[in-house]
Amino acid sequence: MANLLPISETDGYLPIQDHGLIGDGATAALVGPDGTISWMCVPRFDSAPLFCSILDRNRGGRFRLAPEGLRESAQRYLEDTGVLVTEMRTRSGFARVTDALTLRSGADLAEDAPAARGELVRLVEVVEGEVDLRVEILPRGGAEAERSTSGLRIRCRRFPELDLTVTSSLPLGGLQSAHPLRKGDRFHLLLRWAGGSHRHALSRVDDPLQETIDVWRRWARHISYDGAQRDQVRRSAITLKLLDHFENGAIVPAPTSSLPAEIGGTRNWDYRYAWVRDAAFSVYALRRIGLREEAWGFLGWVLDAVERQGRPQVLYTLDGVGAPDEREDPQLGGYRGSRPVRWGNVAARQVQHDVYGEILDCAYQWMSGGADIDGGLWARLRPLVEAARENWRHPDRSVWEVRTADRPFTYSAALCQVALDRGARIAERFGHPGDVGGWRAAAREVKDAILQRAWDRHSGALTQHLAGGDLDAAVLALPLRRVVPADHPKMKATTAAVAERLSAGDGLLYRYLPDRSPDGVPGADAAFVLCSFWLVDNLAWQGRLEEASELYERVCARTNRLGLLPEQIDPTSGAFLGNYPQAISHVGLVSSGVTLDRLWRGAEDELEPGARMGLSRNEAGRRGP
């Protein structure tokens, strides 16, 4: 039993960090310690939310399953699964709720194949005493229920296309009901939206739950990592998998929309689509801990999307087509009054040149793992190399997707260098046609431009733009991508400058300072979790392993009790901010853990080429206490 804590709300909302995530490779849900599902889109991540009380506690809709008079609770995952347990105590009893979005029996999560049953199982067990269990199934926009032979059929005014049914081991009088239970009683509900017949008899609801547990644990056996923060790394891997669209290899950065970067602010974005950059980060991390099939699945998906659209875009729907235009929802008040709530994302219309490098680097990693890049695949990759050579000088919106005029961002140029370098290596390795010499010359030109034009001698750092500007933590990614060695004097100076001047305190970093690097959005920005892991990597590759390890431990300690991380953290309160949980934060946790583990062991040969670059043999071989 986990340590129980009182339920804490502010303005009628639970803290973002007080939620667990469940998923089935098609969609996901947030579950609070009060037994409320406050976020769930069906049938997919990018569908409209059926429940979204996290964005408006009065009008968003919820699915609550909890005892009356709840006083304290705790949450935990069943080991190596995406199945969540919430334990709740009242004055008179103690109940346990197990939640899962169920998976097909025998499903192999390493395959690009649907695994979801299209159903949510909620199982209640009374462990001690007596409880009055309250059930509330309240979809957004209102609903009506009619009794059927096995439970309820729900008609949603806002979702007429959904075929929603609820089966229950106790009779439900409607969408809201109460049930007195005592020690030893078990009560379950099964919410289905996939249509068709009910395949599970009420007495056998344990079967799909156990099958789901078994599927997760078979997949988790492939995770290969025994370094520092082993449990956190494994949980991060499972979290990344929960954000994977199993059917085709697409990956969403986060399952939510409009959770704010500032309480009461307007930095509220929809992240339920497939960003090329974030997905590439994710497969990079998963591959480093033995999960290689996810890398191949994403590469195939993104190349199909590029071919379908004619050129690489920043983000796509899960089907690999253009994401919808951004719009504001006037009916929802936002998390703790943080308006507007947005659906769609304007970044889908932006130009960001880093996508060339993300895709080519994925292909290169796949090749480095022993896979063949055949002529057909190369025919789809080669135009991206040429596009990088043509566009690296041109301004864009870059990694942070600013909403100001295009500028010549250092990070974008660096990722064009990655595309040129990886393209040359792939072509040479397999004898494919292409201007290998010209690409290598262009890659050298880009690197020289970064070291000369982005360098600001007054600030003593590589800056945000090739034309100068202020500091940008994204520059810390250059050694990770083998653009500039970690121990290059200008990179070491940049690391020190970023650590000092973008510090948010206690190991946290701002990605940039909006008052010095305007991004076109009003309001303040919080500390960005991924940047701290980038700093860990730079310190490690500069031979400062003790400093890097200490920072890694501090950042890992920022996870919530379930091992989950947000996009951003309020440096004053430590509160989670932004869409949650965030893939790239977990990418950083995994990748930095692998780097530290291999460097402490002196296993330089196990590091990717990008990680090895810039490390002398002595630095790479230093060992910890």
Side-chain angles (χ1 to χ4, degrees), residues 218-253:
R218 280 197 302 271
W219 177 82
R221 286 201 294 265
H222 298 291
I223 301 173
S224 176
Y225 179 80
D226 286 309
Q229 297 288 338
R230 178 182 181 276
D231 290 345
Q232 293 282 31
V233 168
R234 293 184 71 86
R235 177 50 52 189
S236 288
I238 294 168
T239 303
L240 292 172
K241 192 62 178 177
L242 283 166
L243 302 178
D244 183 5
H245 190 233
F246 297 167
E247 182 173 342
N248 59 14
I251 298 174
V252 297

Side-chain angles (χ1 to χ4, degrees), residues 331-401:
Q331 297 179 341
L332 297 177
Y335 177 78
R336 293 182 56 193
S338 304
R339 294 185 178 92
V341 170
R342 292 184 172 94
W343 310 119
N345 199 300
V346 76
R349 309 290 175 256
Q350 291 184 353
V351 173
Q352 297 178 23
H353 298 318
D354 63 300
V355 294
Y356 307 122
E358 305 295 0
I359 297 170
L360 264 296
D361 202 32
C362 274
Y364 177 71
Q365 291 175 48
W366 184 246
M367 179 194 79
S368 299
D372 180 43
I373 305 294
D374 61 23
L377 179 54
W378 176 245
R380 302 162 76 183
L381 293 170
R382 180 179 174 181
L384 304 181
V385 187
E386 291 292 356
R389 175 159 60 176
E390 179 180 348
N391 290 314
W392 72 267
R393 297 181 182 85
H394 297 166
D396 72 344
R397 302 296 177 90
S398 196
V399 61
W400 305 131
E401 299 173 354

Side-chain angles (χ1 to χ4, degrees), residues 92-115:
S92 60
F94 179 82
R96 179 181 298 124
V97 178
T98 302
D99 285 310
L101 287 162
T102 61
L103 302 172
R104 290 185 297 102
S105 175
D108 183 351
L109 301 191
E111 296 180 347
D112 282 345

Side-chain angles (χ1 to χ4, degrees), residues 126-139:
V126 181
V127 181
E128 297 174 6
E130 299 177 349
V131 300
D132 291 323
L133 187 74
R134 181 73 180 172
V135 179
E136 297 176 348
I137 308 172
L138 304 174

Side-chain angles (χ1 to χ4, degrees), residues 392-393 410 412-418 420-421 425 439-455 462 466 478-479 481-491 613-614:
W392 72 267
R393 297 181 182 85
T410 302
S412 296
L415 268 291
C416 287
Q417 194 272 355
V418 170
L420 290 160
D421 175 82
R425 291 171 184 270
W439 294 339
R440 286 197 166 125
R444 288 192 296 271
E445 183 181 4
V446 177
K447 177 182 174 180
D448 290 344
I450 290 170
L451 290 173
Q452 295 169 18
R453 294 167 53 191
W455 176 256
L462 296 168
L466 293 181
L478 269 57
R481 313 313 287 270
R482 206 173 72 183
V483 178
V484 178
D487 63 352
H488 189 287
K490 290 185 177 180
M491 197 65 235
M613 183 177 176

Side-chain angles (χ1 to χ4, degrees), residues 83-254:
V83 177
L84 184 69
V85 176
T86 304
E87 298 171 328
M88 296 179 277
R89 186 182 295 281
T90 69
R91 286 185 181 273
S92 60
F94 179 82
R96 179 181 298 124
V97 178
T98 302
D99 285 310
L101 287 162
T102 61
L103 302 172
R104 290 185 297 102
S105 175
D108 183 351
L109 301 191
E111 296 180 347
D112 282 345
R117 296 180 192 259
E119 63 188 25
L120 166 70
V121 167
R122 311 200 73 186
L123 172 64
V124 182
E125 301 167 279
V126 181
V127 181
E128 297 174 6
E130 299 177 349
V131 300
D132 291 323
L133 187 74
R134 181 73 180 172
V135 179
E136 297 176 348
I137 308 172
L138 304 174
R140 183 188 176 189
E144 298 175 353
E146 58 185 54
R147 294 184 182 179
S148 65
T149 56
S150 56
L152 299 176
R153 185 172 295 276
I154 302 176
R155 304 290 184 188
C156 300
R157 303 185 189 104
R158 195 177 184 89
F159 309 97
E161 74 284 0
L162 286 181
D163 182 13
L164 289 178
T165 60
V166 176
T167 56
S168 167
S169 58
L170 293 175
L172 298 177
L175 296 178
Q176 300 185 68
S177 58
H179 306 269
L181 303 173
R182 63 181 58 187
K183 181 178 179 178
D185 285 347
R186 301 173 88 244
F187 170 71
H188 72 257
L189 293 100
L190 183 71
L191 175 66
R192 302 192 72 243
W193 51 89
S197 61
H198 301 295
R199 292 168 290 178
H200 311 302
L202 293 180
S203 62
R204 299 186 60 191
V205 74
D206 288 332
D207 290 352
L209 186 58
Q210 187 59 52
E211 289 162 359
T212 299
I213 293 168
D214 292 343
V215 168
W216 276 113
R217 287 178 174 164
R218 280 197 302 271
W219 177 82
R221 286 201 294 265
H222 298 291
I223 301 173
S224 176
Y225 179 80
D226 286 309
Q229 297 288 338
R230 178 182 181 276
D231 290 345
Q232 293 282 31
V233 168
R234 293 184 71 86
R235 177 50 52 189
S236 288
I238 294 168
T239 303
L240 292 172
K241 192 62 178 177
L242 283 166
L243 302 178
D244 183 5
H245 190 233
F246 297 167
E247 182 173 342
N248 59 14
I251 298 174
V252 297

